[in-house]
Amino acid sequence: MSAAGPVAVITGASSGIGEAIARALAGRGYRCVLLARRDELLRALAEQVGGEFEVCDVSEREQVEQVAARVLERHPQVKLLVNNAGIAARTSFFGGESERIEAVVRVNYLGTVWATRAFLPGLEAAAPSDVVDVVSVAGLVAVGGGGPYAASKHAQLAFSRGVQPELARRGVRVHTVCPGFVETEGFPQDRFTRNPLLRRFVPGPEYVATHVLRAVDRNLREIVIPWWYRPLAFLPTVAPGLVARVLERVGPSRVHS
Ligand SMILES: NC(=O)c1ccc[n+]([C@@H]2O[C@H](COP(=O)([O-])OP(=O)(O)OC[C@H]3O[C@@H](n4cnc5c(N)ncnc54)[C@H](OP(=O)(O)O)[C@@H]3O)[C@@H](O)[C@H]2O)c1
């Protein structure tokens, strides 16, 4: 694995989709800088991919700024930033824990904002460079009792779309990747994977990693994966009343990714 290739910073790299992205990027020759909170997992992965790690809670702005300053001192040019760190919020707006509602916004949305701001000097120094924001289908449609997670992902999507034009002018291309349900540690999908028929519709994290690379290679601005979730990208916009009425009747009480 590469020790001196272009530098990629991946948040939430200690497990799941972030880990798969790090492995895929290392396979392409990137020097990966892995960020998350669990240092033992990061250390082990960094050794395997010939990369580096920094313990970083992306919801803590000052911590993100300090970590970015350290990374940029070592690597003034950052070719790729993947904003992937995220948590589920298996709670509803009402009756759920208020702390979880705050946490999901601080990690999923603000974590993306703080990391992008903090690493921007390195991205501009490496221009043309890339940012990939791992959002979710839940950023496109808000269903049922999983509202706090969907709200955080809607905010992250708005940030991702909103900064695209400005950053493009500054030589930094932003790609938004919206996966549907994926089987990972933080987002177990047992209700699907237990069923032999439904299991095939729940890919693993490597599937997302492949599409992250594809988005960068082909300069795709926004992708929804797998393809069968794509109607969700426009249905709520073209037929909001219909969608609302259908969900009132048949919508699940919770959606988690
Ligand atoms: N799995 C799905 O169904 C699915 C679908 C659509 C989108 N997504 C999105 O994909 C991303 C990755 O999720 P995943 O499915 O791979 O789940 P995962 O296996 O639980 O991975 C989440 C990663 O985020 C890190 N993280 C959590 N809180 C953090 C914090 N405060 N600061 C820094 N890192 C933090 C975790 O590491 P530490 O615990 O070590 O900090 C872990 O590395 C998330 O943004 C998620 O919303 C997932």
Side-chain angles (χ1 to χ4, degrees):
M1 300 289 180
S2 168
V7 171
V9 175
I10 304 114
T11 73
S14 60
S15 63
I17 293 169
E19 176 183 345
I21 292 170
R23 290 188 190 282
L25 290 173
R28 284 278 194 97
Y30 280 88
R31 172 87 180 165
C32 292
V33 182
L34 315 171
L35 270 51
R37 295 165 304 171
R38 289 171 293 176
D39 60 338
E40 283 312 314
L41 292 177
L42 291 175
R43 188 186 309 279
L45 182 62
E47 273 172 24
Q48 289 170 33
V49 301
E52 307 163 23
F53 73 96
E54 293 275 351
V55 173
C56 180
D57 182 337
V58 296
S59 70
E60 299 290 338
R61 181 174 50 78
E62 284 183 12
Q63 217 181 100
V64 177
E65 288 167 357
Q66 286 162 9
V67 165
R70 279 202 300 276
V71 173
L72 292 178
E73 208 173 293
R74 296 198 299 275
H75 305 291
Q77 296 194 359
V78 172
K79 200 69 179 162
L80 171 64
L81 167 67
V82 184
N83 285 310
N84 165 77
I87 56 171
R90 301 194 172 219
T91 186
S92 74
F93 281 118
F94 314 111
E97 295 165 24
S98 44
E99 292 78 9
R100 195 67 180 175
I101 297 172
E102 286 174 348
V104 80
V105 169
R106 283 162 54 89
V107 177
N108 298 1
Y109 164 49
L110 288 175
T112 297
V113 178
W114 303 148
T116 307
R117 281 169 56 110
F119 284 102
L120 190 54
L123 290 160
E124 285 192 284
S129 54
D130 298 274
V131 174
V132 176
D133 295 324
V134 180
V135 184
S136 172
V137 164
L140 301 163
V141 61
V143 186
Y149 178 78
S152 75
K153 287 290 170 180
H154 273 65
Q156 187 193 16
L157 178 66
F159 170 77
S160 195
R161 286 175 172 169
V163 299
Q164 258 179 20
E166 179 186 343
L167 292 189
R169 288 192 290 274
R170 295 166 74 166
V172 183
R173 301 177 301 194
V174 178
H175 316 275
T176 311
V177 175
C178 294
F181 296 113
V182 180
E183 174 66 15
T184 61
E185 175 191 313
F187 295 77
Q189 311 290 354
D190 344 342
R191 64 199 185 287
F192 299 119
T193 51
R194 272 199 302 259
N195 181 317
L197 278 177
L198 296 179
R199 191 183 303 152
R200 71 184 68 178
F201 294 106
V202 181
E206 295 75 18
Y207 173 82
V208 181
T210 303
H211 283 275
V212 163
L213 261 58
R214 188 176 134 254
V216 173
D217 289 343
R218 301 192 190 173
N219 192 19
L220 305 175
R221 300 292 202 282
E222 192 168 311
I223 57 171
V224 179
I225 50 167
W227 63 266
W228 56 80
Y229 290 99
R230 279 180 209 151
L232 295 175
F234 61 85
L235 261 181
T237 310
V238 297
L242 174 69
V243 171
R245 276 193 296 277
V246 170
L247 290 177
E248 279 165 24
R249 285 168 184 269
V250 301
S253 59
R254 280 172 182 249
V255 124
H256 296 313
S257 72

